[in-house]
Amino acid sequence: MSEPFEIRPLARCGRDIGRFLNVSYGIYDGDPYWVAPLLMDLRKVFTDRNPLFEHAEMQLWVAARGGRDIGRIAAIVDRNYNELARSDGAAGPAAFFGFYECVPEAAVSRALFEAAENWARQRGLRRVLGPMNPTTNDECGLLVEGFDSAPVFMMTYNPRYYPEQVEAQGYAKSKGLLAYLIDLADIPMERLTRIAEKVKRRNPDLVFRPVLKKTLARDLGKVKEVYNSAWEENWGFVPMTDAEVDFMAGRLKPLLMEGLIWLAEAGGEPVGFLLAMPDYNIALQPLRGRLLTPKLLGSLPVLLGWRKPDRTRVITLGVKAEYRSRGLETVMLIEGLRTGFHAGVRESEASWILEDNVMMRRVLESIGGRVYKKYQIYEKPL
């Protein structure tokens, strides 16, 4: 019989956030692929500095035994998500579970989920989705295939036994998410460049331009417009508010690499958007989640002797519905890959892609992309 433990609620502030985040260090001790999140950045997600909490609430718990925390879970209710779920014919309002970590003990896992589910029931919710860390606009999904390599920047990672733990609590697959790997050495860059130029000639009304650090502030409104339009029919989508876009941009701006972010415009109207970034996890892994000052964040690669990125991640690629099937996605993807290619990037991950997003999968497979990691969002009725 395992030793007794208790489930303790934590406040979403101060030392309790630090305690909650520190649970992962015990879970992944000795795991060569785990990359600790940058703690000073991740803490912001839990505080009222995050405008998510203008329309959401979150409760944290840890499982504690003998002075050691051996598991954690968060429960989240996003009112914006639930308003959409009520109006668009989806399965209905839901609570999310997220930031789940647990030792390989069924009793501990069960107790954590029971705490989150009871919290959701008390708020009148009869469905739980997850993991969301804390929403679909952030990191989400449980890794179910592809445990033999480290995660790329802002993608999840977990032990192999987590899917079994989650499914043991009555959760079933709701959506499959895919990560594609693109080997730039195998890409016929000259041929793809010709394809991009052909698309541009066929669409003389379109302008493709990179978003630069100096133009980011004035381009944010255009980015938000494309994002909220291009993804509005996607599963799990929740429009981002102006404050949320600003919050995300503030977190990412020190890490942006010019030439990896593109806007497509028609008559000055934004119609497409690509966001790719260097895989900073390569540089972050040795830090164990700790950086002395935020001012060093943008200089991280140089400080660690990382002169050029080996890998990039295509995070977001979308086009407004009325401009699809005209090749815009291909042009922006090629422009971003070409920048990486000339910077010495060897490979790029495109993630995450909905398993049933046939159009985007075809685009990625047409340039040699292959699925190498799979993730799942789980769901349980209460």
Side-chain angles (χ1 to χ4, degrees):
M1 180 179 294
S2 60
E3 297 180 23
F5 62 90
E6 60 179 329
I7 302 298
R8 297 176 182 171
L10 298 180
R12 191 173 48 78
C13 60
R15 291 183 179 180
D16 277 7
I17 295 176
R19 177 177 177 178
F20 185 81
L21 296 180
N22 282 335
V23 173
S24 56
Y25 287 87
I27 302 297
Y28 296 98
D29 185 33
D31 189 321
Y33 299 127
W34 180 61
V35 181
L38 197 57
L39 294 174
M40 67 178 187
D41 176 70
L42 186 56
R43 288 181 67 93
K44 300 174 187 175
V45 174
F46 293 86
T47 69
D48 287 337
R49 294 174 60 185
N50 185 350
L52 167 70
F53 294 110
E54 295 172 5
H55 55 85
E57 59 180 313
M58 176 192 292
Q59 177 60 53
L60 312 177
W61 294 269
V62 293
R65 173 192 288 150
R68 175 180 169 231
D69 293 331
I70 56 175
R72 74 183 192 197
I73 199 168
I76 305 107
V77 173
D78 182 349
R79 293 186 294 276
N80 285 1
Y81 172 86
N82 284 336
E83 287 173 10
L84 283 174
R86 287 188 182 96
S87 63
D88 67 3
F96 301 149
F97 80 84
F99 302 100
Y100 173 74
E101 304 285 6
C102 188
V103 293
E105 296 183 33
V108 178
S109 176
R110 181 168 57 252
L112 287 168
F113 275 101
E114 286 177 351
E117 291 164 7
N118 288 336
W119 184 87
R121 287 189 187 94
Q122 291 166 8
R123 282 149 184 80
L125 297 166
R126 294 295 178 263
R127 188 167 68 105
V128 178
L129 284 168
M132 310 290 192
N133 304 327
T135 74
T136 54
N137 290 322
D138 302 277
E139 298 178 22
C140 59
L142 199 69
L143 181 66
V144 296
E145 289 185 29
F147 295 93
D148 56 351
S149 60
V152 302
F153 187 58
M154 296 178 67
M155 286 295 287
T156 62
Y157 177 79
N158 52 262
R160 292 176 183 267
Y161 61 84
Y162 276 18
E164 181 179 351
Q165 282 190 335
V166 173
E167 291 164 13
Q169 308 314 315
Y171 288 80
K173 177 181 177 181
S174 178
K175 277 291 179 180
L177 315 177
L178 306 175
Y180 275 81
L181 186 66
I182 305 166
D183 189 334
L184 270 63
D186 294 338
I187 291 181
M189 197 61 67
E190 291 184 4
R191 182 175 70 82
L192 292 181
T193 299
R194 290 195 298 270
I195 292 173
E197 293 303 320
K198 189 175 182 179
V199 171
K200 292 177 182 178
R201 288 195 299 271
R202 287 179 175 174
N203 298 276
D205 59 320
L206 297 176
V207 174
F208 299 88
R209 65 176 178 87
V211 175
L212 308 177
K213 288 186 178 182
K214 66 181 181 181
T215 68
L216 180 63
R218 67 173 181 263
D219 283 334
L220 278 180
K222 295 184 175 183
V223 169
K224 173 179 173 286
E225 180 181 335
V226 174
Y227 184 81
N228 286 343
S229 175
W231 281 269
E232 65 180 348
E233 296 181 359
N234 279 13
W235 175 90
F237 173 74
V238 182
M240 295 183 76
T241 65
D242 290 345
E244 287 175 297
V245 171
D246 290 342
F247 179 72
M248 180 66 73
R251 293 175 63 200
L252 295 181
K253 184 176 180 179
L255 303 173
L256 298 182
M257 177 177 170
E258 294 185 348
L260 295 182
I261 311 167
W262 286 80
L263 268 174
E265 298 174 304
E269 175 195 356
V271 297
F273 174 60
L274 165 76
L275 170 63
M277 296 187 68
D279 180 15
Y280 281 98
N281 275 4
I282 298 171
L284 290 172
Q285 192 167 32
L287 296 180
R288 299 280 291 172
R290 292 174 171 85
L291 191 63
L292 294 179
T293 169
K295 294 180 180 179
L296 295 178
L297 191 57
S299 304
L300 206 95
V302 175
L303 291 172
L304 297 177
W306 186 45
R307 299 298 176 184
K308 55 186 179 182
D310 292 326
R311 183 168 55 237
T312 58
R313 178 188 168 208
V314 178
I315 299 174
T316 298
L317 174 59
V319 172
K320 289 182 177 179
E322 60 269 33
Y323 286 88
R324 291 171 191 160
S325 302
R326 292 174 61 175
L328 279 71
E329 298 95 338
T330 302
V331 172
M332 290 186 291
L333 187 59
I334 290 171
E335 293 290 3
L337 290 174
R338 183 161 54 185
T339 296
F341 182 81
H342 291 306
V345 173
R346 297 181 297 104
E347 59 189 19
S348 184
E349 177 180 303
S351 55
W352 43 266
I353 313 298
L354 283 168
E355 195 174 49
D356 53 9
N357 188 343
V358 177
M359 180 182 296
M360 188 54 62
R361 293 187 64 178
R362 285 176 179 167
V363 169
L364 294 169
E365 289 164 10
S366 72
I367 60 171
R370 62 178 178 86
V371 175
Y372 85 120
K373 290 180 184 287
K374 295 183 179 181
Y375 304 79
Q376 285 184 184
I377 299 291
Y378 287 86
E379 181 174 1
K380 177 182 178 179
L382 297 180

